[in-house]
């Protein structure tokens, strides 16, 4: 008996400590909420949502006051067999408190022990109501409240009706037509409690889902930014290094030619600054024609003969931007790693698809540590981008020697006819996104 009492006391102490910890976290959240609200008001921004107090079983305990009438009868000696009534009242309250705290933890709420506790409450309520009547009948609404807090599934409606019918039948034996009020109160407490707690739980789940979506959006934006910086700076710095080496070699014997290379370095640096600013703000729109001109310039600077062929209908801006990224990365790899003397770039489009191919006659390697199947880190990121847009990217040694990068995209790639965003809206330039009406 002492062991049981000690275990029960430990459970009570643990619940109180857990409640105190949840209250402490809530107070910390409220401090952050007030600070965020004050900052939002100062900056003229939308006010954040109030996190609200943590949901615990303590929210259901005040309803035990419905049993004060029965307790008053016991205290005043107006109840026959008061010891039986006192024991019944103690057991009912204990079961109610146990169920109330389990109702806010899904695993415990759905456990068999909770269902057995509800069944025991039902049997005890019927016995006390039949034996004493009067104020003891108010335990039926309490039973309905505990039932509504625990059962929130598809069986709730039938359970609520059945419990109300049971309350009405038992109360009718003792109180006659007044049993209608007990039945109505039981049904109302069951359904309203279930509705309120289900709605509160749905709000908490939606808030958690919104926070998760916001976190993922931040991760996607970081990934986009890191890929843009890699593609921008990798190509631009390679061109600057190549042209700087060319200027150094030309300076002793042809100062004018060296100055041309220095002028190109200045132009490339200025363009890189503009592109980085545009990438940071998310408004960068690549032009395939511009990238082709840059490719010719970069290849010629290192002594690689560029051969460019272009055919097919005009491309939508999104396809041009994606192919521009591929061309930039492929040419950067040719300049830095291939050791080629000739590079062929072909763009061929049809009504359905467009194909970009960059082939060199180098030694067939991409970098000292390529990623199997798709080349280096830059090509891996481009493979992911093209896959989102419904395209594909292949990179590897050519059977005729050298290295070949091939990208294919569907022609219709900007926006569907119904105005919905494509599968990955982070890849769409912000200037092409639909405006809010």
């Amino acid at each position: 008996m002492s062991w049981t009492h000690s275990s029960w006391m430990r459970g009570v102490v643990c619940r109180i400590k857990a409640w105190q910890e949840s209250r402490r976290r809530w107070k910390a959240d409220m401090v952050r909420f007030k600070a965020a609200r004050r900052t939002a008001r100062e900056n003229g921004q939308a006010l954040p949502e109030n996190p609200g107090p943590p949901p615990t079983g303590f929210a259901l305990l005040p309803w035990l006051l419905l049993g004060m009438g029965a307790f008053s009868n016991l205290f005043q000696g107006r109840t026959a067999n008061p010891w039986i009534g006192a024991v019944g009242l103690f057991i009912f309250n204990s079961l109610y408190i146990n169920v109330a705290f389990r109702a806010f933890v899904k695993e415990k709420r759905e456990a068999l022990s909770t269902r057995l506790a509800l069944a025991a409450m039902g049997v005890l309520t019927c016995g006390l109501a039949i034996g004493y009547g009067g104020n003891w009948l108010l335990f039926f609404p309490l039973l309905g409240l505990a039932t509504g807090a625990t059962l929130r599934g598809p069986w709730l409606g039938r359970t609520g009706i059945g419990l109300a019918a049971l309350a009405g039948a038992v109360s009718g034996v003792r109180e006659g037509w007044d049993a209608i009020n007990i039945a109505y109160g039981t049904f109302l407490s069951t359904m309203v409690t279930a509705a309120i707690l289900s709605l509160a739980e749905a709000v908490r789940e939606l808030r958690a889902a919104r926070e998760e979506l916001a976190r993922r959006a931040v991760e996607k934006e970081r990934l986009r930014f890191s890929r843009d910086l890699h593609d921008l700076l990798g190509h631009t710095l390679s061109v600057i290094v190549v042209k700087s080496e060319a200027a150094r070699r030309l300076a002793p014997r042809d100062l004018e030619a060296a100055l041309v290379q220095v002028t190109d370095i200045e132009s490339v640096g200025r363009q890189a600054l503009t592109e980085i600013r545009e990438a940071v703000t998310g408004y960068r729109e690549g032009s395939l024609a511009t990238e082709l001109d840059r490719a010719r310039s970069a290849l010629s600077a290192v002594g690689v003969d560029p051969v460019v062929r272009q055919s097919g209908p005009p491309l939508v801006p999104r396809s041009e931007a994606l192919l521009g990224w591929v061309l930039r990365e492929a040419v950067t790899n040719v300049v830095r790693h291939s050791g080629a003397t000739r590079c062929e770039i072909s763009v061929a489009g049809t009504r359905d698809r467009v194909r970009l191919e960059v082939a060199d006659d180098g030694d067939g390697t991409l970098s000292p540590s390529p990623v199997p199947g798709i080349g280096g880190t830059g090509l891996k990121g481009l493979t992911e981008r093209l896959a989102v847009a419904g395209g594909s990217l292949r990179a590897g040694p050519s059977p005729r020697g050298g290295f070949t990068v091939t990208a294919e995209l569907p022609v219709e790639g900007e926006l569907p006819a119904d105005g919905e965003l494509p599968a990955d809206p982070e890849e769409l330039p912000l200037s092409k996104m639909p405006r809010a009406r």
Side-chain angles (χ1 to χ4, degrees):
M1 183 68 179
S2 60
W3 177 84
T4 304
H5 181 267
S6 176
S7 177
W8 181 81
M9 286 299 297
R10 281 198 301 270
V12 172
V13 170
C14 289
R15 285 198 181 99
I16 293 176
K17 287 183 177 179
W19 175 72
Q20 290 175 340
E21 177 63 21
S22 64
R23 294 286 296 183
R24 185 190 65 77
R25 289 196 301 267
W26 172 62
K27 288 181 179 179
D29 290 341
M30 285 300 298
V31 171
R32 289 192 292 269
F33 161 72
K34 290 178 180 178
R37 184 175 59 180
R38 186 164 52 251
T39 303
R41 284 178 175 173
E42 292 174 354
N43 299 332
Q45 300 173 348
L47 296 180
E49 292 184 8
N50 192 326
T56 64
F58 285 95
L60 302 179
L61 296 189
W63 294 102
L64 285 174
L65 294 175
L66 286 173
M68 286 300 295
F71 178 78
S72 176
N73 290 344
L74 284 174
F75 186 74
Q76 295 175 5
R78 292 188 297 176
T79 301
N81 300 316
W83 288 108
I84 296 178
V87 171
L89 184 62
F90 175 78
I91 295 176
F92 180 90
N93 289 343
S94 300
L95 291 173
Y96 178 88
I97 293 172
N98 180 60
V99 171
F101 280 96
R102 284 173 165 264
F104 291 89
V105 181
K106 186 175 182 180
E107 293 76 14
K108 293 182 178 180
R109 184 171 69 233
E110 297 176 351
L112 178 61
S113 57
T114 305
R115 301 291 194 269
L116 293 177
L118 272 179
M121 287 178 65
V123 172
L124 186 59
T125 300
C126 290
L128 293 173
I130 293 174
Y132 296 110
N135 291 326
W136 297 82
L137 297 175
L138 295 178
F139 285 111
F140 275 113
L142 272 176
L143 176 62
L145 193 147
T147 302
T150 306
L151 303 178
R152 306 181 198 173
W155 289 89
L156 176 64
R158 280 170 278 189
T159 303
I161 294 174
L163 188 59
L166 175 64
V170 173
S171 302
V173 175
R174 299 287 307 193
E175 302 295 333
W177 286 105
D178 287 343
I180 296 177
N181 296 328
I182 301 298
Y184 176 72
T186 302
F187 179 78
L188 196 64
S189 64
T190 303
M191 304 307 293
V192 170
T193 302
I196 292 175
L197 294 184
S198 297
L199 181 60
E201 187 172 310
V203 169
R204 290 194 300 272
E205 291 176 353
L206 287 174
R207 182 176 296 168
R210 185 176 60 186
E211 292 175 355
E212 177 66 16
L213 288 175
R215 184 186 64 80
R216 291 186 180 182
V218 171
E219 289 180 354
K220 283 188 175 183
E221 183 61 18
R222 286 175 178 170
L223 177 61
R224 181 198 70 82
F225 186 63
S226 65
R227 289 187 305 202
D228 284 2
L229 281 183
H230 174 275
D231 294 341
L232 284 169
L233 296 181
H235 173 80
T236 302
L237 293 178
S238 297
V239 172
I240 290 175
V241 169
V242 168
K243 288 186 173 290
S244 298
E245 292 176 349
R248 178 176 53 81
R249 290 194 305 267
L250 291 170
R253 62 178 186 273
D254 191 346
L255 184 58
E256 190 169 337
L259 288 176
V260 171
Q261 296 295 331
V262 172
T263 303
D264 288 346
I265 292 172
E266 180 184 2
S267 175
V268 170
R270 291 183 184 277
Q271 182 63 29
L273 287 174
T274 301
E275 290 177 345
I276 289 174
R277 292 190 188 101
E278 291 173 344
V280 169
T281 55
Y283 280 94
R284 186 175 193 276
E285 293 184 37
S287 167
L288 187 57
T290 302
E291 295 297 339
L292 288 171
D293 291 339
R294 292 175 183 169
R296 290 191 187 96
S297 176
L299 292 171
S300 299
V302 295
V304 179
D305 182 23
V307 179
V308 179
R309 304 183 185 91
Q310 189 171 7
S311 63
L315 303 177
V316 297
R318 185 169 187 251
S319 296
E320 283 205 12
L322 289 172
L323 294 180
W325 285 116
V326 176
L327 178 59
R328 173 187 288 261
E329 180 67 24
V331 171
T332 300
N333 290 328
V334 173
V335 170
R336 296 173 62 185
H337 307 300
S338 69
T341 59
R342 178 184 173 90
C343 179
E344 296 184 3
I345 303 171
S346 64
V347 181
T350 64
R351 289 192 306 170
D352 300 325
R353 298 185 73 80
V354 59
R355 174 190 177 97
L356 168 69
E357 183 175 283
V358 181
D360 62 67
D361 61 352
D363 55 12
T365 59
L366 176 63
S367 66
S369 57
V371 177
I374 56 174
T377 304
L379 292 179
K380 180 182 179 182
L382 290 172
T383 302
E384 296 171 354
R385 290 182 179 218
L386 266 66
V388 167
S392 62
L393 180 68
R394 299 187 302 277
S398 174
R400 298 174 295 175
F403 197 87
T404 303
V405 176
T406 305
E408 292 189 7
L409 271 177
V411 171
E412 301 172 354
E414 188 170 18
L415 280 176
D418 57 0
E420 294 180 359
L421 288 174
D424 190 4
E426 68 156 347
E427 301 296 346
L428 189 66
L430 295 181
S431 58
K432 295 297 181 183
M433 287 188 177
R435 308 285 187 202
R437 296 182 180 178

